[in-house]
């Protein structure tokens, strides 16, 4: 033990002197690029926690089931979950590299050794040792002392990537939920358009029937009857085309959710009403608060932190490396009927590896890491701007759909009254078929616009939900990470 004291003193002095050479690295976070306020009209007040229960505001159990089924069946969500497992494994490995590794081995062997040599020509002699059995047990320790923080930087990078992977998983789930809800609303409004086109087709068919009877009686010209038949055929074709469009959307919803098509069609047979007043209180007061709600923004920020840590690791790799090893061995040997115990131990060597010449490999690796860091910073800024843009666009679309909805309803009511009057004049012989068809076409367009606005309004709410992060909050992720 007396011999170990000088070794330990020299090692401690060496570590202290090396530790004084701190390796700086770039900051792990960047300043927000969000504007100071919203420039699109938005609802007032609010509680962000409402986003967690946002889909319940539709009061539609089928929509909830479809979203859950789609999230369970979506490959992007499964891939995101795999990324979490991979990132967690990388974090565990990076943390383990900072600690000593201890390995134990046990071996047993049996044999003998020969002694003697060849004599002169025509003669010689050979002697042998008795057979022996050797049993050895070894415990070996190895530790690379993290003097310049390379291992710590790698651990920090792995931790940042794990947190980013968790946010990426939630972002994938939110994206699937928004896509499923948008497809569902498109299908529901498509069915409303089918009803509109079928009513129009029935009205045209009735006009064609009455015009045909009038033509047979000689009161209407054959050309007018032909025009009425053409109008009826056009209405029927439009209704058939709209029904086919709904079938295509249904197939898409089946593919998204993985649900059996007969079951989905059975549940879709129930009626649907447009939800009103949803998510009115989910908008953050300023754009900067959005950064705490968007998992993709958090992921971009964690990529900056990970890239920063990678720069630190690459920079530390250009400095000396200090490693310490040791072992303890026990065993016994049995030979010639006698047994002997063996016990040995060793601490060291305490080795310092000095990089002298590597043809610029380490410097190039640091430059590459620095470039990746700068790229991550730019990507983070772009992601922040994109997040603000998506919220602003959703707000503009929402306000536009809201303002147009009342005008569209008033237009439908007015055109319907005008069409009824024109139809009454036509049936009484005071109006022309051309006038009736013009009024019918205008009414059909107005009814189509009204249903389309319903779809746009709900789609804008869904886009706003997506843009606000779908209920994810930075505090939840940070708390989870600290618990890990």
């Amino acid at each position: 033990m007396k011999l170990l004291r000088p070794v330990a003193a020299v090692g401690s002095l060496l570590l202290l002197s090396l530790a004084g050479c701190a390796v700086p690295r770039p900051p792990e976070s960047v300043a927000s690029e969000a504007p100071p306020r919203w420039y699109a009209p938005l609802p007032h007040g609010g509680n962000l926690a409402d986003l967690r229960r946002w889909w319940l505001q539709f009061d539609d159990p089928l929509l909830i089931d479809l979203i859950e089924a789609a999230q369970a069946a979506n490959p992007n969500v499964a891939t995101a979950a795999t990324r979490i497992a991979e990132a967690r494994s990388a974090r565990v490995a990076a943390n383990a590299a900072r600690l000593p590794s201890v390995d134990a081995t046990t071996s047993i062997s049996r044999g003998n050794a020969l002694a003697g040599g060849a004599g002169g020509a025509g003669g010689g002699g050979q002697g042998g040792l008795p057979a022996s059995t050797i049993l050895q047990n070894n415990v070996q320790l190895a530790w690379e002392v993290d003097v310049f923080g390379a291992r710590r930087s790698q651990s920090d990078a792995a931790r940042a990537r794990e947190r980013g992977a968790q946010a990426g998983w939630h972002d994938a789930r939110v994206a699937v939920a928004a896509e499923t809800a948008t497809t569902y609303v498109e299908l529901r409004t498509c069915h409303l358009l089918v009803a509109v086109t079928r009513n129009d087709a029935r009205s045209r068919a009735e006009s064609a029937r009455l015009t045909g009877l009038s033509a047979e009686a000689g009161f209407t010209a054959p050309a007018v009857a032909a025009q009425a038949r053409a109008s009826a055929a056009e209405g029927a074709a439009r209704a058939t085309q709209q029904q086919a469009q709904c079938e295509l959307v249904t197939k898409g919803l089946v593919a998204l959710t993985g649900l059996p098509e007969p079951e989905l069609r059975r549940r879709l047979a129930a009626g649907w009403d447009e939800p009103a007043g949803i998510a009115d209180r989910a908008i953050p007061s300023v754009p900067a608060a959005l950064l705490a709600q968007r998992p993709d923004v958090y992921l971009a920020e964690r990529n900056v932190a990970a890239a920063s840590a990678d720069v630190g690791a690459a920079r530390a790799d250009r400095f000396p490396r200090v490693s310490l090893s040791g072992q303890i061995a026990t065993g016994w040997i049995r030979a010639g009927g006698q047994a002997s115990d063996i016990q040995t131990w060793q601490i060291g060597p305490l080795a310092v590896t000095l990089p002298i010449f590597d043809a610029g490999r380490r410097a190039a690796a640091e430059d590459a890491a620095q470039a990746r860091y700068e790229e991550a910073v730019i990507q983070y800024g772009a992601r922040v701007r994109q997040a603000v843009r998506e919220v602003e666009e959703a707000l503009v679309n929402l306000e536009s759909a809201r303002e147009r909805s009342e005008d569209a309803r008033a237009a439908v009511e007015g055109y319907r009254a005008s069409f009824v009057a024109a139809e009454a004049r036509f049936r009484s012989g005071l109006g022309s078929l051309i006038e009736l068809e013009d009024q019918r076409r205008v009414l059909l367009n107005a009814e189509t616009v009204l249903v389309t606005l319903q779809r746009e309004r709900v789609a804008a709410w869904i886009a706003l939900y997506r843009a606000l992060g779908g209920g994810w909050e930075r505090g939840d992720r940070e708390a989870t990470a600290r618990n890990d």
Side-chain angles (χ1 to χ4, degrees), residues 75 88 101 110 132 147 161 236 266 283 304 381 470:
R88 183 179 296 115
S101 63
R110 181 171 176 79
S132 61
V147 178
R161 291 190 171 96
R266 177 182 59 80
I283 316 299
V304 172

Side-chain angles (χ1 to χ4, degrees), residues 4-39:
L4 292 177
R5 292 174 183 172
V7 176
V10 173
S12 301
L13 181 61
L14 177 62
L15 293 179
L16 290 175
S17 62
L18 291 177
C21 305
V23 180
R25 65 184 186 188
E28 293 190 357
S29 60
V30 292
S32 166
E33 298 190 9
R37 65 180 182 87
W38 299 108
Y39 294 98

Side-chain angles (χ1 to χ4, degrees), residues 178-188 249-250 252-253 256 462:
E179 181 183 6
T180 305
T182 300
T183 305
Y184 175 73
V185 172
E186 181 181 357
L187 180 57
R188 287 300 197 180
V249 179
T250 301
L253 195 58
L256 273 175
I462 295 172

Side-chain angles (χ1 to χ4, degrees), residues 1 3 8 16 29 40 44 52-53 83 111 116 118 189 196 202 205 224 236 248 286 327 368 377 404 438-439 441:
M1 294 299 294
L3 295 176
L16 290 175
S29 60
H44 299 286
R52 301 178 184 274
R53 302 181 298 274
R83 295 292 177 268
T189 53
V196 170
R202 281 193 295 266
V224 175
L248 295 177
V286 293
Q327 68 173 357
V377 171
R404 287 182 292 155
D438 286 341
Q439 293 296 325
R441 188 176 299 107

Side-chain angles (χ1 to χ4, degrees), residues 80-395:
T82 302
R83 295 292 177 268
I84 293 178
E86 292 174 346
R88 183 179 296 115
S89 175
R91 174 179 60 81
V92 172
N95 289 337
R98 302 177 62 183
L99 301 174
S101 63
V102 180
D103 298 312
T105 60
T106 298
S107 64
I108 186 170
S109 61
R110 181 171 176 79
N112 66 344
L114 299 178
Q126 186 178 32
L129 292 176
S132 61
T133 302
I134 302 175
L135 174 67
Q136 292 180 314
N137 299 308
N138 292 284
V139 177
Q140 297 178 334
L141 178 144
W143 182 29
E144 181 177 334
V145 186
D146 193 24
V147 178
F148 296 101
R151 299 299 186 186
R152 179 176 62 84
S153 296
Q154 293 170 355
S155 178
D156 293 344
R159 185 181 300 107
R161 291 190 171 96
E162 181 187 9
R163 296 179 185 177
Q166 292 171 349
W169 174 79
H170 188 89
D171 187 57
R173 287 174 57 85
V174 171
V176 171
E179 181 183 6
T180 305
T182 300
T183 305
Y184 175 73
V185 172
E186 181 181 357
L187 180 57
R188 287 300 197 180
T189 53
C190 185
H191 289 160
L192 296 179
L193 288 175
V194 167
V196 170
T197 55
R198 284 178 176 174
N199 289 336
D200 177 73
R202 281 193 295 266
S203 177
R204 291 170 186 259
E206 179 63 16
S207 296
R209 185 184 70 82
L210 295 175
T211 305
L213 294 176
S214 179
E216 291 175 0
F219 297 108
T220 303
V224 175
Q227 182 182 1
R229 290 194 300 271
S231 176
E234 180 185 1
R238 183 181 289 107
T240 301
Q241 182 183 19
Q242 188 62 49
Q243 180 62 43
Q245 180 64 29
C246 294
E247 291 295 320
L248 295 177
V249 179
T250 301
K251 302 296 184 183
L253 195 58
V254 169
L256 273 175
T257 61
L259 295 177
E261 186 170 333
E263 177 186 350
L264 179 60
R265 290 184 180 275
R266 177 182 59 80
R267 299 191 64 179
L268 286 170
W272 180 78
D273 295 323
E274 177 192 2
I278 52 179
D280 281 340
R281 298 177 302 277
I283 316 299
S285 57
V286 293
L290 179 66
L291 306 185
Q293 295 179 229
R294 291 271 300 216
D296 58 335
V297 172
Y298 181 77
L299 171 59
E301 182 185 305
R302 291 299 88 199
N303 287 339
V304 172
S308 172
D310 287 340
V311 173
R315 189 169 297 166
D317 193 43
R318 302 180 63 182
F319 288 80
R321 301 172 64 178
V322 180
S323 61
L324 176 66
S325 61
Q327 68 173 357
I328 299 175
T330 62
W332 55 265
I333 179 171
R334 183 178 180 85
Q338 296 182 352
S340 301
D341 292 333
I342 301 175
Q343 294 183 355
T344 62
W345 61 269
Q346 175 183 343
I347 297 179
L350 177 65
V352 178
T353 303
L354 303 175
I356 298 177
F357 177 74
D358 63 358
R361 176 181 63 83
R362 292 180 176 84
E366 182 183 350
D367 292 342
Q370 181 66 34
R372 288 192 295 270
Y373 169 77
E374 294 171 359
E375 177 191 8
V377 171
I378 294 176
Q379 288 181 345
Y380 171 78
R383 176 53 54 187
V384 171
R385 295 191 298 272
Q386 180 64 22
V388 174
R389 174 187 175 181
E390 291 176 0
V391 174
E392 295 270 14
E393 288 179 346
L395 291 172

